[in-house]
Amino acid sequence: MDLIKGDIIEATVTDFASEGEGVIKSDGYPIFVPFAIKGEKIRACVTFAKKDCAFGEVVEVVTPSADRIKPLCPYFGKCGGCDLQHISTHLQLEIKRGAVQNALKKIAGIDVNVPWPVRLNDWGYRNKLSLPFAYNGRSKRVSLGFYEKRTHKVVPLKWCPLHGEWASKLIAEVSEWANEFNISVYDENTHTGLLRHVVARMLDSLSVTVVINGDKLPKQAELIQKLKRSFADFTLYISPNKKNGNVIMGDSARLVYGQEKPQSLGRFKAIVSPKSFLQINNDVRDAIYDCAANALADFDGDIIELYSGVGLLTAQIALRLPNAKITAVEIERSSSGDAAALMRSLELSDRVKCVCDDAKRFITALPEAQSDEDKITVDEATAKSPYYLGGMFEAVKKALILDPPRRGCDREVLECADGFDRIVYISCNPQTLARDIKILSAKYDLTYVQPFDMFPQTANVETLVLLSKKNPTGISKSTM
């Protein structure tokens, strides 16, 4: 069917797409409509059409779903931060569960009954904020906001319900400072102007980084005074970024105020640099790391962890498995350095080696490891954890942990993974997870899967899976 921009279609929403959009069809031709809910009858206007599909926007909800609710945030639908605020919590979880189950079935060819995602909070869960500076219309007032979805148009905002009250205070203080002293804003078309982003993380205390198209920040002392009005304990960093492109942070972040202090990260404290990756939902992060550690609680061999970041998961496992020897591989130098410092502070350096290397290069050069025959002991807290899986499996000799970025693993990494008895894979993208499982399925069976709702009110879902190596007869050592 030939559709063009501006066409109005009235139809019933038949399904959800991968980013939470509703799907309607016109003579079998799919049209993806954000903010439409499965089961609703809607009128939609086509905004863009291709040969095999089209995109649209809701003009009218003719018959609303019982799961349609009033969004909490006044910016919802304008800013690109949330996808599902208009949908009940139960249906949000069903959408995420379905995303994992459908990806495994359609891409990996594995038909499993995926459990409900673990959801531990609804609002105020984000510990990190990244906001671009922009001029607010003709007034030329400096504002901070989120990008409208799939654009670089900034939607100015004063607060966000996904963050705590600290975010509203930060936005107010930084915006007031920029306007009071007429600090210029970066223009990505002309590559002129100074202020690019403010990046902040709130753990035990606040860390603020101002990303600039330059080397020095004017009126820096005045910004510090503004921040002192709202925050008793904070650090301020400057990150020069003169490059064209979409990368937010520069190559470095220079501390200009405050003192770096260890922050609470689950079972321990550690210093986290502004450039280091850290999961944004503390409660769900800890649940995922508990699950990963407990999946190896009966393990009696060597562990290799790829894409290890700042070493939080590495430390969780090392603290729980007192005889395990772990090699943690991370390509980002600052993150690998933070990981090594963390292991020293926790007195784990004798059995945890932090390697700064590319995952593909490391694993392709990996020699055959010698297994440690010492049996791992399991503490009482681990044994009682709802994520304890040790009783499901036989003891194994060598394990691999994969925690890659959204794009998934390089194929070469997966093809070199046949020497491991067990693989723990943590993913933020069901599509690439299923793709990678399909590659591994020739030698491994999927033996456990658990989604986690790391990002409530959005369509994103985190998933942890276990894969167990098949025995020589082709039958796996364990089953789900």
Side-chain angles (χ1 to χ4, degrees):
M1 179 178 182
D2 294 328
L3 290 179
I4 61 173
K5 182 178 179 180
D7 282 349
I8 302 295
I9 307 295
E10 184 170 310
T12 298
V13 182
T14 59
D15 206 350
F16 288 107
S18 61
E19 294 188 18
E21 317 100 309
V23 181
I24 61 175
K25 292 187 177 180
S26 181
D27 293 335
Y29 182 84
I31 306 165
F32 300 96
V33 185
F35 315 121
I37 303 176
K38 183 178 179 180
E40 290 185 329
K41 186 176 182 180
I42 66 168
R43 295 180 71 240
C45 178
V46 175
T47 56
F48 180 74
K50 300 194 300 182
K51 182 179 181 180
D52 56 347
C53 69
F55 301 87
E57 60 184 19
V58 175
V59 174
E60 179 187 1
V61 179
V62 179
T63 307
S65 166
D67 285 295
R68 180 174 285 278
I69 62 175
K70 183 179 179 180
L72 179 63
C73 179
Y75 304 105
F76 179 68
K78 300 174 184 177
C79 125
C82 294
D83 313 293
L84 307 179
Q85 275 196 41
H86 61 300
I87 295 176
S88 69
T89 296
H90 176 82
L91 185 55
Q92 286 189 30
L93 293 175
E94 187 175 314
I95 291 169
K96 299 184 185 205
R97 174 179 175 270
V100 176
Q101 187 158 307
N102 291 337
L104 289 174
K105 184 176 182 179
K106 293 178 181 179
I107 300 173
I110 301 174
D111 191 2
V112 296
N113 184 23
V114 173
W116 288 95
V118 173
R119 181 161 176 160
L120 300 177
N121 39 44
D122 296 320
W123 306 101
Y125 61 83
R126 292 187 64 100
N127 62 36
K128 187 177 181 181
L129 186 67
S130 298
L131 297 174
F133 288 92
Y135 287 120
N136 190 357
R138 295 181 180 179
S139 69
K140 288 296 181 180
R141 294 282 295 174
V142 177
S143 60
L144 290 163
F146 287 123
Y147 288 122
E148 193 175 301
K149 198 152 192 170
R150 297 188 180 90
T151 76
H152 269 208
K153 180 181 178 182
V154 175
V155 178
L157 54 82
K158 295 182 179 180
W159 73 294
C160 173
L162 301 190
H163 300 81
E165 186 181 356
W166 65 269
S168 303
K169 294 179 179 179
L170 177 68
I171 292 170
E173 299 292 8
V174 174
S175 299
E176 180 180 305
W177 163 79
N179 283 299
E180 182 177 338
F181 297 103
N182 297 313
I183 313 297
S184 63
V185 171
Y186 177 73
D187 185 323
E188 62 183 18
N189 296 313
T190 63
H191 311 301
T192 59
L194 185 69
L195 300 176
R196 297 186 68 147
H197 283 79
V198 61
V199 180
R201 180 181 281 133
M202 175 63 85
L203 296 168
D204 295 334
S205 59
L206 178 67
S207 168
V208 181
T209 302
V210 180
V211 183
I212 57 174
N213 179 38
D215 296 309
K216 295 182 179 180
L217 185 65
K219 302 298 180 178
Q220 178 178 296
E222 287 79 359
L223 174 58
I224 292 169
Q225 292 305 311
K226 296 281 188 188
L227 293 173
K228 282 183 177 180
R229 298 189 308 189
S230 294
F231 305 102
D233 189 9
F234 68 92
T235 51
L236 177 64
Y237 296 82
I238 304 301
S239 181
N241 183 4
K242 302 177 187 178
K243 299 178 181 178
N244 302 335
N246 297 328
V247 177
I248 294 177
M249 296 283 282
D251 294 333
S252 64
R254 183 174 73 254
L255 180 66
V256 296
Y257 176 80
Q259 182 179 359
E260 292 181 326
K261 301 175 183 177
Q263 306 291 309
S264 297
L265 302 171
R267 289 192 169 191
F268 48 82
K269 289 190 173 187
I271 291 175
V272 181
S273 71
K275 291 195 67 182
S276 294
F277 173 79
L278 182 65
Q279 295 284 15
I280 54 89
N281 187 324
N282 296 339
D283 295 335
V284 179
R285 174 202 69 206
D286 292 344
I288 292 176
Y289 289 170
D290 284 347
C291 188
N294 290 325
L296 297 172
D298 62 342
F299 190 72
D300 67 349
D302 297 323
I303 299 172
I304 292 175
E305 180 189 355
L306 302 181
Y307 317 100
S308 58
V310 297
L312 301 183
L313 176 56
T314 316
Q316 288 279 2
I317 293 173
L319 288 170
R320 290 171 181 268
L321 309 182
N323 297 319
K325 294 181 179 179
I326 305 173
T327 301
V329 183
E330 166 59 39
I331 193 171
E332 174 62 46
R333 187 167 299 280
S334 65
S335 295
S336 183
D338 284 346
L342 174 61
M343 301 312 149
R344 289 193 295 271
S345 69
L346 297 175
E347 299 182 351
L348 296 172
S349 299
D350 59 331
R351 54 191 183 87
V352 178
K353 181 180 180 182
C354 296
V355 177
C356 184
D357 200 356
D358 174 71
K360 178 173 63 176
R361 182 168 56 238
F362 180 87
I363 199 168
T364 53
L366 187 67
E368 190 67 26
Q370 297 297 316
S371 296
D372 185 350
E373 298 298 333
D374 294 330
K375 185 65 180 177
I376 297 302
T377 58
V378 179
D379 62 28
E380 184 177 356
T382 296
K384 291 181 178 179
S385 167
Y387 305 112
Y388 176 54
L389 309 175
M392 294 174 58
F393 304 97
E394 300 173 12
V396 291
K397 300 299 181 186
K398 194 165 59 170
L400 176 66
I401 299 173
L402 300 171
D403 189 5
R406 188 169 182 81
R407 67 178 180 272
C409 296
D410 290 316
R411 188 179 185 94
E412 290 91 337
V413 169
L414 303 173
E415 290 173 344
C416 292
D418 59 351
F420 297 90
D421 296 273
R422 191 182 304 171
I423 298 175
V424 177
Y425 192 136
I426 301 172
S427 170
C428 62
N429 185 339
Q431 307 292 315
T432 55
L433 171 66
R435 179 203 67 196
D436 291 351
I437 288 176
K438 183 176 182 180
I439 296 171
L440 291 166
S441 64
K443 296 181 180 178
Y444 292 89
D445 280 328
L446 179 65
T447 52
Y448 178 82
V449 55
Q450 177 61 62
F452 292 84
D453 196 358
M454 177 72 75
F455 310 95
Q457 318 307 330
T458 79
N460 297 308
V461 60
E462 297 267 331
T463 311
L464 182 146
V465 301
L466 263 64
L467 299 117
S468 295
K469 190 168 186 180
K470 296 176 179 179
N471 65 24
T473 65
I475 302 173
S476 64
K477 297 179 181 179
S478 52
T479 58
M480 230 179 336

